[in-house]
Amino acid sequence: MKKLNVALIGTGFMGKAHSIATAVVPILFGAPIEIERKVVVDIDEELAQNAAKQYGFAEYATDWREVVSRPDIDIVDICTPNSTHAEIAIAAARAGKHIMCEKPMSMTVAEAEAMLAAAEETGVVTMVSYNYRHTPALQMARKLIEEGRIGDILTFRGYYLQDWGADPEKPLSWRFNKALAGSGTLGDIGTHVIDAARLLVGEFASVNAIVKTFIPERPLPAGRFFGPSGAASTEKGKVDVDD
């Protein structure tokens, strides 16, 4: 059986989720390959070391550039803030590594096009982590639509309900920082609804949107912020993305 070694870049919430997926996919779906959780990377050595132990990786590292160039790495799994996706993915593609990249793919269209070009040059397999398109409900909806069993689709309405960001006391993570996240709701959770729409009813002819920032400032994180459970400090900072 062929073995593929995975390098996970990023040890936060999604890094943990991807580690669980990597562990259970061969068990649940009988994958025709063996997946080895080879190395996990974080710029904080202590976090990287802890993640290797907790997530079941053989090694840890702090320099992603060194890791993606290693000959024993087959897949690079990118679970870092949005602003870093393009640089890591392009380097991985040029090193001949297959790529799993968290959504949104990039900060700009130009970055996405550069990522695609790098992958096409080397022929590596790539995927953006739109996990909801693989849920049974969406796949069944797609089947019903393609078979014409519900007629012509006239409208599509999608929701993604996530409430932790409605708490003004939740810390100012990178997700609320435009320089790191690119956009707020659309880039974080709205992107899943957009992907579902494209999967079910096709490409957009035109786009318009209403966005608003309801919570203009938040407490700065006390230490590194991983997600909704992160600790907050008493000092506050500006939110510059939409809610």
Side-chain angles (χ1 to χ4, degrees):
M1 181 180 289
K2 184 177 181 179
K3 183 174 78 170
L4 296 177
N5 292 330
V6 176
L8 173 67
I9 318 295
T11 63
F13 174 78
M14 289 314 302
K16 182 176 183 179
H18 284 220
S19 298
I20 294 171
T22 304
V24 303
V25 163
I27 300 171
L28 295 179
F29 301 104
I33 58 171
E34 180 183 350
I35 299 176
E36 172 74 19
R37 282 166 286 168
K38 187 69 174 177
V39 57
V40 60
V41 182
D42 196 288
I43 56 175
D44 185 309
E45 184 172 8
E46 183 179 357
L47 292 176
Q49 185 175 20
N50 291 339
K53 184 182 300 183
Q54 183 181 359
Y55 301 168
F57 281 79
E59 307 171 30
Y60 68 90
T62 57
D63 185 350
W64 66 261
R65 292 176 180 83
E66 180 182 342
V67 169
V68 300
S69 64
R70 283 173 42 169
D72 61 339
I73 297 301
D74 303 295
I75 302 171
V76 173
D77 189 355
I78 304 170
C79 294
T80 54
N82 305 342
S83 60
T84 66
H85 290 180
E87 183 181 10
I88 298 173
I90 291 171
R94 288 174 176 168
K97 315 302 181 185
H98 304 303
I99 302 164
M100 167 78 83
C101 182
E102 255 304 324
K103 57 80 199 163
M105 181 173 167
S106 64
M107 299 278 279
T108 66
V109 172
E111 282 188 350
E113 290 174 341
M115 294 163 74
L116 177 61
E120 289 180 336
E121 285 175 9
T122 55
V124 296
V125 177
T126 64
M127 180 178 179
V128 181
S129 298
Y130 287 118
N131 53 304
Y132 291 108
R133 65 163 44 209
H134 302 287
T135 59
L138 271 182
Q139 288 298 316
M140 175 57 76
R142 186 184 188 188
K143 183 174 185 291
L144 295 176
I145 291 170
E146 288 179 343
E147 292 176 353
R149 293 168 62 182
I150 57 176
D152 295 332
I153 306 302
L154 303 179
T155 63
F156 170 93
R157 179 175 295 177
Y159 295 93
Y160 189 117
L161 306 177
Q162 182 171 279
D163 66 353
W164 70 266
D167 184 349
E169 297 307 312
K170 291 299 182 183
L172 183 71
S173 80
W174 65 265
R175 296 180 185 277
F176 301 114
N177 183 325
K178 189 172 185 178
L180 300 177
S183 65
T185 301
L186 288 178
D188 192 11
I189 57 179
T191 184
H192 281 300
V193 180
I194 292 168
D195 183 65
R198 294 179 67 232
L199 174 72
L200 297 177
V201 298
E203 296 296 341
F204 296 92
S206 62
V207 176
N208 65 79
I210 298 172
V211 296
K212 181 175 176 60
T213 301
F214 292 95
I215 303 172
E217 61 178 17
R218 291 179 178 274
L220 296 178
R224 185 162 165 184
F225 179 77
F226 279 90
S229 61
S233 68
T234 56
E235 186 179 357
K236 293 203 171 185
K238 182 182 176 181
V239 174
D240 61 358
V241 299
D242 57 278
D243 286 320

